[in-house]
Amino acid sequence: MNEDTRLTQGRVTAAMIADRANVSRVAVSRAFNPHTSLKAEKRELILRIAQELNYTPDRAARALVSGRSHLVGVIVPDVCSHWESQEIDALTTALQNEGFATLLFKTRTDFSMDEKLLAYMRGFNPDSVVAFVENVKPATLARFLDRAVPIYVHYPSSDEDDQPETGPLHDRMNVLQRAGVEQAVALLQGYGARRIAYVSGVNKSRANTAREQMLRLVMAERGLPPPIIAPSDFSYDRAYGATLDLFRLEGGADAIFAANDVGAFGVLDALRHELGLRVPEDVKVVGFDDIAQSHWKSYNLTTVKFDLKDRVSALVRLILRRLNNPDAPALQETLQTRLVVRGTVG
Amino acid sequence: MNEDTRLTQGRVTAAMIADRANVSRVAVSRAFNPHTSLKAEKRELILRIAQELNYTPDRAARALVSGRSHLVGVIVPDVCSHWESQEIDALTTALQNEGFATLLFKTRTDFSMDEKLLAYMRGFNPDSVVAFVENVKPATLARFLDRAVPIYVHYPSSDEDDQPETGPLHDRMNVLQRAGVEQAVALLQGYGARRIAYVSGVNKSRANTAREQMLRLVMAERGLPPPIIAPSDFSYDRAYGATLDLFRLEGGADAIFAANDVGAFGVLDALRHELGLRVPEDVKVVGFDDIAQSHWKSYNLTTVKFDLKDRVSALVRLILRRLNNPDAPALQETLQTRLVVRGTVG
DNA sequence: TTGTAGGCGTTATCAT
DNA sequence: ATGATAACGCCTACAA
């Protein structure tokens, strides 16, 4: 019994529990798997002893034999982007409740995903992968993920957009932006705005192009001239600079639509603190996301809301459905947007 | 050769590489471990084939035999707290560069750590654990972590504080707050502030008590009356409310010291947008952290800086040193603070 | 309900 | 320098 000398230092195995409880190792395994048959009192005994000895089944060993790591890889360019951090937070909570853990990976901030990173990540064998990154072809992703099926965020420009599936299998989260953008444009129009600018996100990103296109479409439908594009990259600092340029070099605008809320904050600060303009009296501002900071008094931003809770539950549903049925055809979830009216339009 | 039917679907093992390269499985293993002896050209061949077939060694299997998961558990109450998200971001990057991945766990936001969570986490066998959580005794943590040694953040109130080590082994990151707080108080005093309030963080948290105590100490040394305590919890909303109470019920203050930057934003917005006071003319405000948002024009906050890069490299150093030498005596790293002067004092 | 045997993919040990 | 063999800790047959 003096085997707890070196090897044991802090590592409790099923075999030890089996010894203490006078049962076989298999019984211990069964005690931790609810859907196996084991006499109730025996299970209780084992679990009690396990708790006393602080034993938990080793997930690495379990993964080896079961093919499930219970790890979900999350790839982000920037954890501290407000929207991303809020989504990671909610996602981690939700996954944890389902018995999964979040494995975080950082990629470069230029929204390009590295093959090296993918290879690195694959070594950890995630059961699923969520990528907050764009410009990765499903084919590339599929090459690096064996059992995981990628989930893409898609922004249909028409609500009845129904393209046929092509290429390797992937699941999809459709975000319908029309409603929110339409409400925003109508509101701006109602307050007399005509010359509307768009302070963009990262140029190549799909979220950005989708937002710009939808804005362009809706404005055309409502008889407005096309938006003036002020190039930016979703960040506070560049949105700030883009706004200065817009007013100093391009003749300004009645209203500004920012590609995200953080960008809208930059727009607001540039207008008020550097250009000496009043919001909403002189210029109206609308953002996109509705992050927690948007209600802060200094900004109090009118914005197109992307419901975080809805989004995360859709994501978790997709992940779990796919895991429970790996051979299912492409899955889809659909999300809506809507305008949250606060103080920057009026 | 038709074994790539079902089992193979997307899973490439060392054995397959060995087959293709006409070598043993062991050779494949060696090819991926730099410090083993293998003829250079053979290693190249193997690595080339591995790359063609998208093979990476399975870390779960590796962990089983090597006892290293290359996983670092991170426990946070709230991923989207600004400071935390920035630290998680930097930490993930740094760890990734060292071959580790970040495993994220969320605990309740009340700063209490759950034994259930610890047991859950242990199942994943992290090599190390960083807890952004307080009120956990080293003993509790140690009970749930076998090979990992916890790292504590310590705030000595005197710079020569040298308590003898007690209890189970743990490493320590000492944060010397005196310099930053002294500079802040001196600056406030220099601008004539005398009645100074402290909008606190979560009451039970060590970071909060340490900041409050240091403030009290420094103010006493400089002949100021003790600070007026306005209870809050590090959040924007409660700091906002605490500021209203302070001015409506407690007679206000010349200057406000907030327990963190986000709290300071709440203070600023309450002062300016609800109480109609000017900052810094009527009231001066100092924060704590220096997060990225603090330089945004709407806030432009004077704050006690906690250098993020320093902090993360100290953390990574501690983790790696401990991993390379599990039996080392308690390790320590020491960090400084300093005042960053912007526009909210003057 | 219970136990025995075998295998998951890798690395360590010991030969050669 | 290389290869056979035995772990690592667990789960899933299969048999009792």
Side-chain angles (χ1 to χ4, degrees):
Chain A
M1 293 290 179
N2 68 352
E3 61 186 4
D4 18 351
T5 42
R6 268 262 157 267
L7 279 174
T8 316
Q9 36 148 244
R11 180 151 216 105
V12 185
T13 83
M16 301 180 196
I17 308 296
D19 273 6
R20 286 269 214 275
N22 268 324
V23 297
S24 71
R25 295 209 234 57
V26 196
V28 177
S29 171
R30 289 205 242 269
F32 280 90
N33 294 63
H35 299 298
T36 53
S37 57
L38 186 65
K39 215 197 317 189
E41 64 175 23
K42 193 176 256 188
R43 167 166 282 142
E44 270 175 45
L45 172 69
I46 294 175
L47 290 178
R48 218 200 41 206
I49 296 188
Q51 186 155 25
E52 278 168 21
L53 270 59
N54 281 308
Y55 166 81
T56 331
D58 183 332
R59 292 189 111 109
R62 211 176 229 186
L64 207 54
V65 55
S66 70
R68 299 246 105 119
S69 62
H70 286 255
L71 257 25
V72 175
V74 175
I75 306 179
V76 235
D78 202 351
V79 181
C80 33
S81 297
H82 300 234
W83 173 265
E84 273 87 339
S85 74
Q86 289 175 28
E87 192 158 353
I88 292 172
D89 187 271
L91 187 60
T92 300
T93 309
L95 288 174
Q96 201 166 299
N97 290 335
E98 303 289 342
F100 291 83
T102 303
L103 201 50
L104 212 55
F105 295 94
K106 265 206 68 174
T107 182
R108 296 203 226 84
T109 47
D110 62 0
F111 281 68
S112 79
M113 182 147 49
D114 205 329
E115 301 217 341
K116 242 169 84 184
L117 174 66
L118 287 175
Y120 180 68
M121 187 185 63
R122 189 190 40 202
F124 291 95
N125 260 311
D127 288 340
S128 185
V129 172
V130 179
F132 287 72
V133 181
E134 316 222 355
N135 305 315
V136 206
K137 299 198 190 85
T140 310
L141 215 46
R143 195 151 54 83
F144 283 90
L145 269 26
D146 11 63
R147 53 172 176 277
V149 174
I151 302 171
Y152 276 79
V153 180
H154 183 228
Y155 301 91
S157 41
S158 148
D159 294 3
E160 303 104 31
D161 174 319
D162 240 330
Q163 293 163 17
E165 297 297 325
T166 71
L169 180 68
H170 62 273
D171 300 329
R172 221 158 76 167
M173 200 156 70
N174 294 312
V175 180
L176 272 32
Q177 304 185 108
R178 174 177 279 277
V181 172
E182 233 170 40
Q183 292 159 9
V185 173
L187 189 71
L188 291 175
Q189 233 175 341
Y191 280 108
R194 179 157 179 87
R195 194 174 150 79
I196 298 179
Y198 176 70
V199 173
S200 81
V202 169
N203 188 29
K204 300 173 300 182
S205 92
R206 278 201 305 257
N208 177 57
T209 27
R211 283 165 200 188
E212 181 182 326
Q213 273 174 6
M214 182 57 81
L215 182 64
R216 194 180 292 279
L217 180 68
V218 169
M219 284 173 65
E221 285 173 4
R222 311 191 116 254
L224 288 165
I228 306 150
I229 305 300
S232 179
D233 65 357
F234 291 129
S235 76
Y236 173 94
D237 289 327
R238 273 211 63 192
Y240 190 98
T243 306
L244 298 184
D245 289 350
L246 174 66
F247 277 78
R248 290 185 177 153
L249 311 173
E250 310 286 339
D254 302 333
I256 300 180
F257 205 107
N260 64 335
D261 284 358
V262 174
F265 300 156
V267 170
L268 285 167
D269 281 353
L271 291 171
R272 289 170 171 159
H273 300 290
E274 187 127 3
L275 296 167
L277 294 165
R278 290 165 309 160
V279 178
E281 295 83 349
D282 302 327
V283 185
K284 293 140 200 15
V285 176
V286 179
F288 213 109
D289 278 347
D290 195 29
I291 59 179
Q293 290 80 337
S294 300
H295 86 272
W296 289 7
K297 285 279 157 113
S298 285
Y299 298 116
N300 196 26
L301 181 70
T302 294
T303 190
V304 175
K305 185 185 183 74
F306 217 164
D307 194 282
L308 182 66
K309 269 186 61 183
D310 288 355
R311 178 156 166 156
V312 167
S313 25
L315 214 43
V316 172
R317 264 197 310 273
L318 283 176
I319 293 173
L320 296 181
R321 272 208 283 160
R322 171 59 62 193
L323 250 37
N324 293 332
N325 190 357
D327 302 317
L331 306 173
Q332 298 208 18
E333 289 275 349
T334 297
L335 299 171
Q336 295 288 343
T337 55
R338 68 182 176 83
L339 187 68
V340 175
V341 181
R342 295 203 186 87
T344 55
V345 176
Chain B
M1 293 289 178
N2 68 353
E3 62 185 4
D4 17 352
T5 42
R6 268 264 158 264
L7 278 174
T8 315
Q9 38 150 240
R11 179 152 216 106
V12 185
T13 81
M16 300 179 195
I17 308 296
D19 274 5
R20 287 268 214 276
N22 267 326
V23 296
S24 71
R25 299 209 240 67
V26 194
V28 177
S29 171
R30 288 205 242 269
F32 279 89
N33 293 64
H35 299 298
T36 53
S37 56
L38 186 66
K39 214 193 327 188
E41 65 175 22
K42 191 175 258 185
R43 167 167 281 142
E44 271 174 45
L45 171 69
I46 294 175
L47 290 179
R48 218 201 40 210
I49 296 187
Q51 186 155 25
E52 278 169 20
L53 270 60
N54 279 309
Y55 166 80
T56 331
D58 182 333
R59 293 190 109 108
R62 211 176 230 186
L64 205 55
V65 56
S66 71
R68 299 247 102 120
S69 62
H70 285 254
L71 256 26
V72 174
V74 175
I75 307 179
V76 236
D78 201 352
V79 181
C80 33
S81 298
H82 300 233
W83 173 264
E84 273 86 339
S85 76
Q86 289 175 27
E87 191 158 353
I88 292 172
D89 187 272
L91 187 61
T92 301
T93 309
L95 288 174
Q96 200 166 299
N97 291 335
E98 302 289 342
F100 291 82
T102 303
L103 201 49
L104 211 55
F105 295 94
K106 266 206 66 175
T107 181
R108 297 202 226 85
T109 47
D110 62 358
F111 282 66
S112 80
M113 183 146 48
D114 205 329
E115 301 217 340
K116 241 168 86 183
L117 175 65
L118 288 175
Y120 180 68
M121 186 185 64
R122 189 190 41 205
F124 290 95
N125 259 312
D127 288 340
S128 185
V129 172
V130 179
F132 287 72
V133 181
E134 314 222 355
N135 305 316
V136 207
K137 298 200 191 86
T140 309
L141 215 46
R143 196 150 53 82
F144 282 91
L145 269 27
D146 12 64
R147 54 173 172 278
V149 174
I151 302 170
Y152 276 79
V153 181
H154 183 227
Y155 302 92
S157 41
S158 148
D159 292 3
E160 303 105 30
D161 174 316
D162 240 332
Q163 293 162 18
E165 297 296 326
T166 70
L169 181 69
H170 62 273
D171 299 330
R172 221 158 75 166
M173 201 156 69
N174 294 313
V175 181
L176 271 34
Q177 305 185 104
R178 174 177 281 276
V181 173
E182 233 169 41
Q183 292 159 10
V185 173
L187 188 72
L188 291 176
Q189 233 176 342
Y191 281 108
R194 181 158 177 84
R195 195 174 150 78
I196 299 179
Y198 176 71
V199 173
S200 81
V202 169
N203 187 31
K204 299 174 299 180
S205 91
R206 278 202 304 258
N208 177 57
T209 26
R211 282 165 201 188
E212 181 182 326
Q213 273 174 7
M214 183 58 81
L215 181 64
R216 195 180 290 279
L217 181 67
V218 169
M219 283 174 65
E221 285 174 4
R222 310 192 116 254
L224 289 165
I228 304 150
I229 306 300
S232 179
D233 64 358
F234 291 128
S235 77
Y236 174 93
D237 289 327
R238 272 213 62 193
Y240 190 98
T243 307
L244 298 185
D245 289 349
L246 175 65
F247 278 78
R248 290 183 177 155
L249 311 174
E250 310 286 339
D254 301 332
I256 300 180
F257 206 106
N260 63 336
D261 284 359
V262 173
F265 300 158
V267 170
L268 284 167
D269 282 353
L271 291 171
R272 288 171 171 157
H273 300 289
E274 186 125 4
L275 296 166
L277 294 164
R278 290 165 310 159
V279 179
E281 295 85 348
D282 301 327
V283 185
K284 294 139 198 18
V285 176
V286 179
F288 214 110
D289 279 347
D290 196 28
I291 59 179
Q293 292 80 336
S294 300
H295 86 271
W296 290 8
K297 283 280 157 110
S298 285
Y299 298 116
N300 196 27
L301 181 70
T302 294
T303 189
V304 174
K305 184 186 183 76
F306 218 164
D307 194 280
L308 183 66
K309 269 186 60 183
D310 288 355
R311 179 158 165 150
V312 167
S313 26
L315 215 43
V316 172
R317 261 195 316 270
L318 283 176
I319 292 173
L320 296 181
R321 273 207 283 159
R322 172 59 62 195
L323 249 37
N324 293 333
N325 190 355
D327 301 318
L331 306 173
Q332 299 208 16
E333 290 276 348
T334 296
L335 299 170
Q336 294 288 344
T337 55
R338 70 182 173 83
L339 187 68
V340 175
V341 181
R342 297 204 185 86
T344 54
V345 177

